């Protein structure tokens, strides 16, 4: 026993130097420290027990001998070395050994807790799998029972359907036979009735033909007699009447609720003898009563009637008027100035979108005044202006160009100035106003200036023209 203890102490002493060389090493160094501490404890306990037992110690040189005859020199050397190692052992190493032991115990506890958690999770997973398997089995059992019940109900319904179908087929056959018999009887009755009606109809038709033939013969005789009498009278008078002459057209009455109105002058005798009061009207219709008119067309009314129309527009008649067509009415300067004056005074209240003044012998001064009226905010909604076949000339064209550049025709889409004696300067002014860098008429679609006396040089200089500008 002492020999084993000595060997253990020797091994511990060797390990002790290694442990001291790497105080903060791994688990191997800590185990060495633990072993060395155990050896020291064992050696101390053995020495104390031996000294206490014999009660004395013999020192021989540098060795301590208890029983010199029973202990060998190697054992003694090992004891001495263990004792010296125990004396040289540092307290910090002992603390580190205790810490390693505590750490190892904590590690074991953590591993044990992890094993417990793993076992608990495995148990819970197994319980879930068992529960899921139970649910699956129950679901399959319910499906199997439902399938059996469905098959049973389907068989019952199929048998009931077959039974009902057999009954319906029998009833249908019986009904078809009964219907067939009824139809046959009805056909026989209809045939007899039709034959009877045909006979009666033939008899009535024959009687009607006889009566008609007799009546036609009588009427023909009377017509021939009257014709001969009329022809005799006409031959005596020396005239021959037309055959199938068309009836005269009746004058249609224009309703006050119409959206279109056509202006016809009253006879000159009536206008001359009529009282010029507040209810006087120049036309066959009283425009004061037409509140829904959107389209107005004059039928050769002339300048005086145009002046009267301008006066009526100034009074606010036809507030919804959007299209005024006075083409081919010979309004001339007198009627044109009256219209322009009306536009200048109350043009902002008019909703006029189309103004047709073609073939009216309108001079340039009237167009200049029209441009001034437009610049003052008249006819804000004007989109179509037709001045073709008038006499506006280059001066009128320049006035229109100036009005365009000043922003007077912002909503204009169509302008017609064909055959107006416009020369090079007027056409050039119109071209520059509609093709300037600053677009003043963004909605323009057509400017027709054809049939005006411009020179080939100017025509060539204006090429290429925009699509909307037509020369």
């Amino acid at each position: 026993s002492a020999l084993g203890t000595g060997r253990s102490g020797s091994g511990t002493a060797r390990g002790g130097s290694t442990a001291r060389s790497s105080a903060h090493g791994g688990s191997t160094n800590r185990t060495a420290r633990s072993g060395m501490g155990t050896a020291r404890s064992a050696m101390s306990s053995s020495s104390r027990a031996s000294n206490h037992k014999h009660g004395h110690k013999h020192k021989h040189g540098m060795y301590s001998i208890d029983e010199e005859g029973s202990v060998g020199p190697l054992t003694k050397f090992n004891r001495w070395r263990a004792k010296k190692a125990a004396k040289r052992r540092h307290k910090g190493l002992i603390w580190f050994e205790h810490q390693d032991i505590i750490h190892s115990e904590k590690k074991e506890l953590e591993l044990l807790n992890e094993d417990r958690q793993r076992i608990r999770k495995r148990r819970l997973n197994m319980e879930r799998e068992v529960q899921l398997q139970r649910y699956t089995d129950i679901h399959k059992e319910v499906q199997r029972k439902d399938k059996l019940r469905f098959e049973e109900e389907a068989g019952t319904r199929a048998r009931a359907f077959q039974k009902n179908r057999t009954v319906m087929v029998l009833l249908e056959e019986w009904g078809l036979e009964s219907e067939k018999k009824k139809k046959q009887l009805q056909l026989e009755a209809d045939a007899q009735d039709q034959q009877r009606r045909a006979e009666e109809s033939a008899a009535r038709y024959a009687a009607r033909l006889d009566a008609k033939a007799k009546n036609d013969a009588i009427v023909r005789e009377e017509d021939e007699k009257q014709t001969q009498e009329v022809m005799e009278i006409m031959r005596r008078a020396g005239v021959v009447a037309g055959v199938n002459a068309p009836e005269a057209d009746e004058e249609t009455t224009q309703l006050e609720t119409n959206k279109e109105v056509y202006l016809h002058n009253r006879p000159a005798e009536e206008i001359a003898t009529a009282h010029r009061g507040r209810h006087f009207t120049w036309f066959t219709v009283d425009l004061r009563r037409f509140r829904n008119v959107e389209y107005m067309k004059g039928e050769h009314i002339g300048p005086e009637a145009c002046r009267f129309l301008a006066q009526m527009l100034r009074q606010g008649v036809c507030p919804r008027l959007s299209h005024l067509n006075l083409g081919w009415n010979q309004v001339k300067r007198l009627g044109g100035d009256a219209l322009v004056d009306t536009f200048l005074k109350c043009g902002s209240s008019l909703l006029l979108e189309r103004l047709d003044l073609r073939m009216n012998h309108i001079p340039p001064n009237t167009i200049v005044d029209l441009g001034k009226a437009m610049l003052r905010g008249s006819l804000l909604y004007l989109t179509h202006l037709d001045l073709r076949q008038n006499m506006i000339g280059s001066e009128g064209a320049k006035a229109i160009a100036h009005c365009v550049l000043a922003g007077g025709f912002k909503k204009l889409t169509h302008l017609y100035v064909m055959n107006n004696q416009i020369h090079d300067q007027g056409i050039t002014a119109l071209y520059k106003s509609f093709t300037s860098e600053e677009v003043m008429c963004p909605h323009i679609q057509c400017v027709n200036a054809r049939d005006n006396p411009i020179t080939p040089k100017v025509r060539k200089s204006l090429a290429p023209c925009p699509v909307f500008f037509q020369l």
Side-chain angles (χ1 to χ4, degrees):
S1 173
L3 182 61
T5 306
R7 290 176 181 175
S8 175
S10 175
T12 306
R14 295 189 193 99
S17 62
T18 307
R20 283 193 296 273
S21 63
S22 57
H24 299 283
S27 60
T28 306
N29 297 337
R30 294 174 184 175
T31 307
R33 296 192 201 104
S34 178
M36 185 173 65
T38 305
R40 287 176 182 173
S41 301
M43 181 177 163
S44 303
S45 300
S46 173
S47 299
R48 286 194 300 269
S50 176
N51 294 334
H52 181 74
K53 181 179 179 181
H54 296 284
H56 63 277
K57 294 182 180 179
H58 300 282
K59 294 184 179 179
H60 182 73
M62 62 182 194
Y63 299 103
S64 172
I65 303 173
D66 294 335
E67 293 179 3
E68 191 171 348
S70 61
V71 179
L74 182 60
T75 304
K76 292 177 181 180
F77 176 76
N78 290 333
R79 288 177 180 177
W80 175 81
R81 188 171 62 181
K83 185 176 181 180
K84 291 294 184 181
K87 287 181 180 181
R88 289 194 306 267
R89 188 169 179 78
H90 196 271
K91 293 181 180 181
L93 296 176
I94 297 171
W95 183 82
F96 277 114
E97 289 175 359
H98 285 294
Q99 291 297 321
D100 289 341
I101 293 170
I102 294 170
H103 180 70
S104 62
E105 289 178 355
K106 288 183 179 180
K107 192 67 176 180
E108 290 178 358
L109 287 175
E110 290 177 359
L111 293 174
L112 182 60
N113 289 332
E114 289 178 0
D115 292 339
R116 288 178 180 175
Q117 292 292 335
R118 192 181 304 108
I119 293 170
R120 187 179 293 108
K121 290 182 179 179
R122 187 179 300 169
R123 186 173 66 252
L124 291 175
N125 291 335
M126 292 179 66
E127 290 178 356
R128 290 195 192 97
E129 291 178 358
V130 171
Q131 189 70 18
L132 181 61
Q133 186 64 31
R134 289 178 182 174
Y135 290 158
T136 305
D137 296 340
I138 293 172
H139 183 65
K140 289 182 179 179
E141 183 65 21
V142 171
Q143 285 184 344
R144 186 182 64 80
K145 291 182 179 179
D146 289 344
K147 185 177 180 181
L148 292 175
R149 185 171 63 255
F150 176 76
E151 291 177 354
E152 184 179 355
E153 292 178 356
T156 304
R157 287 196 297 269
R159 289 191 293 272
F161 175 74
Q162 188 65 28
K163 183 178 178 180
N164 293 333
R165 184 176 181 182
T166 304
V167 173
M168 293 300 295
V169 168
L170 294 175
L171 290 174
E172 187 177 0
E173 291 179 355
W174 177 78
L176 289 174
E177 292 178 357
S178 178
E179 188 68 22
K180 187 176 180 181
K181 291 180 179 178
K182 289 182 179 179
K183 285 184 178 180
Q184 187 175 1
L185 294 175
Q186 185 68 29
L187 288 174
E188 293 177 355
D190 292 344
Q192 294 177 1
D193 189 20
Q194 187 175 4
Q195 185 178 3
R196 179 179 57 80
R197 289 181 179 179
E199 293 177 356
E200 293 177 356
S201 178
R204 287 196 301 270
Y205 182 70
R208 188 164 57 251
L209 288 178
D210 294 339
K212 186 178 180 181
K214 294 178 181 180
N215 189 23
D216 290 343
I218 296 171
V219 170
R220 187 168 54 254
E221 291 177 359
E222 292 180 356
D223 289 343
E224 289 179 356
K225 184 179 179 181
Q226 292 179 359
T227 302
Q228 293 299 327
E229 292 177 356
V230 171
M231 292 298 293
E232 182 66 23
I233 295 172
M234 292 175 65
R235 279 194 294 269
R236 292 177 182 176
V239 294
V240 178
V243 180
N244 297 327
E247 297 181 358
D249 294 335
E250 295 182 1
E251 184 179 355
T252 57
T253 303
Q254 300 187 63
L255 300 179
E256 297 175 359
T257 57
N258 290 348
K259 293 185 178 181
E260 297 182 359
V261 64
Y262 297 87
L263 303 180
H264 298 273
N265 291 341
R266 294 169 60 187
E269 296 79 8
E270 293 184 8
I271 296 174
T273 58
H275 176 64
R276 302 292 180 96
R278 59 183 300 182
H279 298 292
F280 171 76
T281 177
W282 198 284
F283 308 109
T284 57
V285 294
D286 189 359
L287 294 179
R288 302 178 187 89
R289 300 179 179 272
F290 289 77
R291 308 294 296 178
N292 300 322
V293 172
E294 297 178 2
Y295 174 79
M296 182 183 294
K297 185 177 186 305
E299 298 289 344
H300 305 286
I301 60 176
E304 294 293 335
C306 187
R307 290 181 61 187
F308 179 79
L309 174 62
Q311 182 182 357
M312 290 291 101
L313 292 176
R314 196 180 307 150
Q315 293 177 5
V317 300
C318 305
R320 299 182 182 180
L321 183 63
S322 62
H323 188 173
L324 178 59
N325 186 354
L326 295 178
W328 301 87
N329 276 270
Q330 300 293 324
V331 298
K332 300 182 179 180
R333 180 176 180 177
L334 186 63
D337 291 342
L339 283 176
V340 170
D341 185 59
T342 299
F343 297 156
L344 183 62
K345 292 182 179 179
C346 59
S348 59
S349 62
L350 296 177
L351 304 178
L352 204 62
E353 297 179 3
R354 293 171 177 261
L355 179 60
D356 191 344
L357 296 175
R358 70 180 73 181
M359 195 57 189
N360 278 299
H361 301 286
I362 295 177
N365 296 334
T366 303
I367 303 303
V368 173
D369 295 339
L370 177 62
K372 294 179 181 179
M374 296 297 295
L375 290 178
R376 293 187 182 182
S378 300
L379 305 180
L380 299 175
Y381 305 97
L382 188 64
T383 60
H384 289 67
L385 179 59
D386 195 341
L387 298 173
R388 70 184 76 180
Q389 296 179 352
N390 283 293
M391 299 182 298
I392 66 174
S394 298
E395 186 178 355
K398 291 178 183 179
I400 294 175
H402 175 70
C403 185
V404 169
L405 291 175
F409 291 100
K410 292 183 178 180
K411 293 190 177 182
L412 189 67
T413 60
H414 294 76
L415 174 64
Y416 301 99
V417 289
M418 301 92 76
N419 198 0
N420 267 282
Q421 298 299 316
I422 303 175
H423 295 277
D424 296 344
Q425 294 181 357
I427 293 295
T428 305
L430 285 175
Y431 177 83
K432 291 182 178 180
S433 64
F434 285 102
T435 58
S436 61
E437 293 181 358
E438 185 178 2
V439 180
M440 304 306 297
C441 293
H443 307 289
I444 193 67
Q445 298 179 11
C446 177
V447 177
N448 196 333
R450 294 176 178 175
D451 300 327
N452 284 294
I454 60 176
T455 60
K457 182 179 179 180
V458 173
R459 188 184 299 273
K460 185 177 180 180
S461 66
L462 299 180
C465 285
V467 178
F468 65 86
F469 199 92
Q470 302 174 10
L471 290 176

